[in-house]
Amino acid sequence: MPVPTRAAREVFGSKTPQAQAYANLLAGPGVERGLIGPAEAQRIWDRHLVNSALVAEFLPGTEAEAFAQARSTRLADLGSGAGLPGIVLAILRPDMAVVLVEPMARRTAFLAECVRELGLRNVEICRARAEELAGKLGADIVTSRAVARLDRLAVLAAGLSRPGGLVLAIKGASARAELERARPVLKRLGVVDAEVVTAGTRLGGLIEQPTTVIRFRTREAPE
């Protein structure tokens, strides 16, 4: 059973028991079914769960504010795989309606098991390719992690997003170079405010490195 790190307890707070249940699913059935590599089982918390959870810093509003306004924001997790970061963000933000977009049957079966075991009432699983859903979801926010290069990812994310929607793509050390290479595609798509941002700096030495995210907004609807 993966033990939550100090950083994990800091990030998940009162949601740590629910996150622990998810960590157990990833390290158990997730590894057995090939969704997570065997070597990753001992690094589930910081490498995967905390890395994903830190993206919540860029989500609009707070859980309390959203409940007070009685407004549900829709978040689409593109290429959700084992549920990273979609399930993590669903745990942290139960006010948001989270759609896990994943085309592979064995992965959606695992996601369904996670949703059931964790009691996540704000999650919908959509077994489909992102291209098949273009123009149909209208998500306020689109997230992704280890899905595709930015030039390809931006096209897919734009198809899932409402006009002016927020896209948060978790990337690695080469994020800035990837962003520069994708500039022509982003310009053609009408993307605005594309930038590289980092989350988790407040945790200092509790994590090996912050989470790097490419953040942008999709084209606004014509007036």
Side-chain angles (χ1 to χ4, degrees):
M1 178 184 297
V3 178
T5 61
R6 184 179 169 190
R9 293 186 182 280
E10 177 72 21
V11 170
F12 285 98
S14 63
K15 305 290 191 351
T16 301
Q18 200 174 18
Q20 175 71 74
Y22 180 42
N24 294 344
L25 287 166
L26 287 172
V31 170
E32 293 165 7
R33 300 175 197 178
L35 277 74
I36 297 289
E40 301 301 304
Q42 300 305 313
R43 302 186 291 180
I44 288 293
W45 282 103
D46 283 354
R47 186 176 177 86
H48 298 287
L49 272 68
V50 172
N51 176 260
S52 295
L54 291 175
V55 176
E57 292 184 17
F58 303 124
L59 299 182
T62 66
E63 180 183 335
E65 289 171 351
F67 277 127
Q69 296 170 4
R71 179 182 184 278
S72 181
T73 298
R74 171 175 277 197
L75 183 152
D77 188 35
L78 170 58
S80 199
L84 301 163
I87 284 182
V88 171
L89 297 177
I91 290 172
L92 291 173
R93 293 294 298 270
D95 57 291
M96 290 188 172
V98 177
V99 182
L100 306 178
V101 178
E102 171 54 52
M104 294 187 63
R106 67 184 178 90
R107 293 176 178 173
T108 54
F110 176 76
L111 292 173
E113 181 178 334
C114 291
V115 169
R116 183 175 61 252
E117 292 293 326
L118 301 175
L120 294 173
R121 299 182 180 181
N122 60 325
V123 176
E124 172 189 351
I125 300 167
C126 186
R127 185 187 169 194
R129 292 168 55 85
E131 297 91 335
E132 298 169 340
L133 300 175
K136 298 177 181 179
L137 279 185
D140 301 288
I141 304 161
V142 178
T143 59
S144 71
R145 182 177 187 262
V147 173
R149 293 190 324 180
L150 185 60
D151 53 359
R152 173 62 175 155
L153 177 65
V155 175
L156 299 176
L160 301 182
S161 171
R162 64 166 175 79
L166 177 66
V167 178
L168 301 170
I170 299 177
K171 292 291 182 177
S174 61
R176 294 188 186 280
E178 190 171 342
L179 175 57
E180 291 309 310
R181 287 194 300 269
R183 290 284 185 189
V185 173
L186 299 181
K187 182 177 180 180
R188 187 174 72 247
L189 291 171
V191 162
V192 296
D193 301 329
E195 61 180 340
V196 176
V197 291
T198 56
T201 54
R202 63 182 177 83
L203 295 176
L206 294 183
I207 56 175
E208 291 184 11
Q209 59 185 17
T211 297
T212 301
V213 175
I214 295 179
R215 175 174 64 183
F216 61 86
R217 288 194 174 275
T218 58
R219 186 197 304 269
E220 293 281 357
E223 297 183 359

